[in-house]
Amino acid sequence: MINFTQLVLASHNAGKLKELQAMLGESVHLRSIGEFSSVEPEETGLSFVENAILKARNAARISGLPALADDSGLAVDFLGGAPGIYSARYADGQGDAANNAKLLDALKDVPEAERGAQFVCVLALVRHAEDPLPILCEGLWHGRILPAASGEHGFGYDPLFWVPERDCSSAELSPSEKNLISHRARAMDLLRQRLGLK
Ligand SMILES: O=c1nc[nH]c2c1ncn2[C@H]1C[C@H](O)[C@@H](COP(=O)(O)OP(=O)(O)OP(=O)(O)O)O1
Ligand SMILES: [Mg+2]
């Protein structure tokens, strides 16, 4: 079915590549789409699913290989689910630090009980660019937005995401611990099941 020695990851995010490669193990070599093109597709979808499929198709077209895409983000209850699919662009493309600063500001003086949030991850796997039946798997991770950044691991919003089941921020988890319980880990678990890998 799919030749896993040649799977391209449709992402320009080094943090995702590291996490997904660690979850897949050594038998699968995830090649970055960055090896083939530095042009990032416009994420024009209105949902994580649409954007994941769009990125996967684009990578499969460019590389000629089966492609895995990850579209993910942070949905904050107090903000009605924002920044959601716009998480990477929350501070107009100025990067993680600016995104985090903007989120802290948006939740300034909001009490702990109203700071609930969830990370969302949708993985899309296509066998080729026109695949009529992409495999889709999602994972959610519930937590809370901290009043200040804490921790050095991970990427993106990790320093602001409080993990109730570990009583620390997601950036304070070791990479291997995050990879056991994160939204991405849950989606990958489902993907492995769908592929008969477990
Ligand atoms: O585990 C995570 N820990 C912290 N932050 C995270 C995580 N997972 C997603 N996020 C944030 C990062 C970014 O602000 C957005 C994803 O946006 P998203 O468009 O899917 O990824 P991206 O633009 O960084 O790379 P690409 O589209 O090339 O895969 O959510
Ligand atoms: Mg993106």
Side-chain angles (χ1 to χ4, degrees), residues 16 40 43 55 71 88:
K16 289 183 185 177
E40 298 191 32
E43 297 181 24
K55 289 192 276 190
D71 200 59

Side-chain angles (χ1 to χ4, degrees), residues 10-13 16 40-41 43 55 70-72 85 88-89:
S11 176
H12 294 269
N13 182 319
K16 289 183 185 177
E40 298 191 32
E43 297 181 24
K55 289 192 276 190
D70 167 315
D71 200 59
S72 45
I85 61 165
R89 298 164 268 174

Side-chain angles (χ1 to χ4, degrees), residues 9-21:
L9 178 65
S11 176
H12 294 269
N13 182 319
K16 289 183 185 177
L17 177 63
K18 221 167 145 187
E19 292 186 5
L20 291 166
Q21 181 65 76

